[in-house]
């Protein structure tokens, strides 16, 4: 949706992010609806422990898959959600909406709730022949927060988000009608979608929406929806390679996986399985 709208931040957003990151020693970020990192408090890099886990143990795809699942959970619930990842690191995310349209997500994390490196992680590190001392040191560098302290930080975070939203400190600039249409498509990507659905969702006529897609997009409505479905399928294939083609097809609105594969290959000039093999080789 980058070609449809642009997210505009007031300067105070970066200040809030910087102060939050400095005060709690946490990484805080703004993600686009697709999960692209747009803004980071203090431009804080990945924690050494998280980087170690990505580089030496689990791989970046495992982290991206967990992040995607967390964002989807947040979008579905419309509220703050959290998770503990496979490396025993805690993350928190909240969706940011503008007039019911998703602008993106704000999240914070990379902290621990255990005093020492969990036994399950130690066992994997030893089995992989990695430096256990280095891993322990990196883990202990993560900020530690008890459940009570974490709850207090999350409550403060909630107040900050309410303030940011109420003061319109993050807004969308561009064709908001088309943006709302795209938001609807992304939110209902696993369902049948037609022009009448979009028109009703954005409060415009069917002919208006059809004209808008033809005027503003490289393709018409049907092809645009198709491309969005395929983009989402490729996202799953990249960061959730454990999913079967059938499961991916269902998640992007196809009950028949064979039909999905045929249509995908016709438009992408490569089969879903070939795309997955290409990603795995990369």
């Amino acid at each position: 949706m980058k070609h449809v709208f642009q997210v505009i931040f007031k300067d105070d957003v970066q200040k809030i992010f910087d102060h939050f990151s400095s005060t709690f020693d946490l990484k805080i970020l703004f993600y686009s609806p697709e999960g692209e990192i747009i803004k980071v408090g203090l431009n804080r890099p990945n924690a050494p422990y998280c980087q170690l886990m990505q580089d030496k143990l689990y791989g970046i795809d495992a982290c991206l898959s967990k992040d995607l699942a967390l964002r989807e959970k947040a979008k579905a619930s419309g509220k703050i959600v959290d998770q503990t990842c496979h490396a025993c690191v805690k993350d928190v995310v909240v969706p940011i909406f503008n007039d019911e349209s998703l602008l993106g997500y704000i999240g914070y994390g990379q902290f621990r709730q255990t005093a020492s490196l969990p036994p399950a992680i130690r066992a994997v590190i030893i089995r992989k022949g990695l430096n256990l001392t280095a891993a322990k040191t990196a883990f202990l560098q993560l900020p530690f927060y008890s459940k009570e302290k974490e709850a207090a930080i999350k409550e403060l975070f909630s107040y900050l988000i309410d303030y940011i939203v109420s003061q319109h400190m993050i807004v969308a600039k561009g064709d908001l009608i088309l943006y709302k249409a795209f938001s609807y498509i992304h939110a209902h990507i696993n369902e049948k979608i037609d022009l009448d659905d979009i028109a009703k969702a954005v409060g415009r006529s069917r002919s208006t929406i059809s004209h808008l897609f033809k005027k503003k997009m490289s393709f018409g409505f049907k092809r645009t929806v198709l491309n969005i479905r395929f983009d989402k399928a490729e996202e799953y294939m990249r960061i959730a390679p454990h999913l079967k083609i059938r499961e991916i097809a269902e998640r992007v609105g196809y009950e028949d996986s064979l039909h999905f594969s045929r249509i995908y290959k016709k438009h992408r000039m490569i089969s879903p399985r070939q795309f997955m093999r290409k990603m795995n080789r990369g």
Side-chain angles (χ1 to χ4, degrees), residues 24-254:
F24 298 108
D25 197 26
L26 295 169
K27 187 169 185 176
I28 181 170
L29 317 89
F30 180 89
Y31 301 87
S32 73
E34 296 77 27
E36 179 186 358
I37 297 174
I38 305 297
K39 189 175 289 292
V40 182
L42 295 177
N43 291 317
R44 192 183 183 96
N46 245 2
Y49 175 76
C50 293
Q51 199 62 53
L52 177 65
M53 294 295 103
Q54 289 179 8
D55 293 344
K56 302 296 184 180
L57 216 57
Y58 297 107
I60 184 63
D61 286 346
C63 294
L64 292 176
S65 180
K66 293 289 286 187
D67 289 346
L68 173 61
L70 185 61
R71 292 195 305 272
E72 290 187 340
K73 181 180 177 182
K75 181 172 67 174
S77 67
K79 59 185 181 181
I80 296 175
V81 298
D82 60 56
Q83 72 175 4
T84 301
C85 77
H86 43 273
C88 294
V89 175
K90 198 75 177 284
D91 292 300
V92 178
V93 165
V94 63
I96 304 299
F97 291 97
N98 176 38
D99 192 20
E100 299 184 0
S101 295
L102 180 67
L103 294 184
Y105 307 85
I106 296 178
Y108 71 87
Q110 298 193 347
F111 65 97
R112 59 189 171 93
Q113 288 190 312
T114 57
S116 60
L117 189 66
I121 304 297
R122 290 204 303 269
V124 176
I125 289 171
I126 293 171
R127 188 169 67 248
K128 293 280 188 177
L130 302 177
N131 188 322
L132 181 58
T133 300
K136 287 180 178 179
T137 300
F139 182 77
L140 293 178
Q141 287 175 348
L142 293 172
F144 170 80
Y145 289 115
S146 65
K147 290 184 178 180
E148 293 75 19
K149 187 74 171 181
E150 181 210 352
I153 294 173
K154 188 184 291 185
E155 186 171 4
L156 176 60
F157 178 71
S158 178
Y159 289 138
L160 287 176
I161 296 303
D162 288 345
Y163 177 75
I164 287 171
V165 172
S166 67
Q167 297 299 307
H168 305 290
M169 298 173 73
I170 300 176
V171 296
K173 181 181 180 181
D175 196 321
L176 292 183
I177 297 299
L178 195 55
Y179 172 61
K180 289 180 181 179
F182 270 70
S183 295
Y184 181 90
I185 294 169
H186 279 276
H188 298 80
I189 197 69
N190 63 330
E191 305 170 13
K192 180 181 177 182
I193 301 171
D194 60 33
L195 271 173
D196 289 331
D197 297 324
I198 302 295
K200 183 177 180 181
V202 305
R204 294 292 189 276
S205 69
R206 175 189 174 96
S207 61
T208 296
I209 299 302
S210 178
H211 175 73
L212 192 59
F213 271 89
K214 289 177 181 178
K215 180 181 178 181
K216 296 293 182 86
M217 306 303 298
S218 301
F219 304 99
F221 171 75
K222 289 185 178 180
R223 182 63 184 271
T224 299
V225 173
L226 198 67
N227 286 337
I228 292 174
R229 292 191 194 278
F230 291 159
D231 288 345
K232 190 64 176 179
E234 288 170 356
E235 180 182 354
Y236 283 124
M237 286 187 269
R238 281 194 302 271
I239 68 178
H242 61 281
L243 291 176
K244 298 179 180 178
I245 298 297
R246 170 182 54 79
E247 295 173 309
I248 293 173
E250 290 174 353
R251 292 188 181 202
V252 298
Y254 288 88

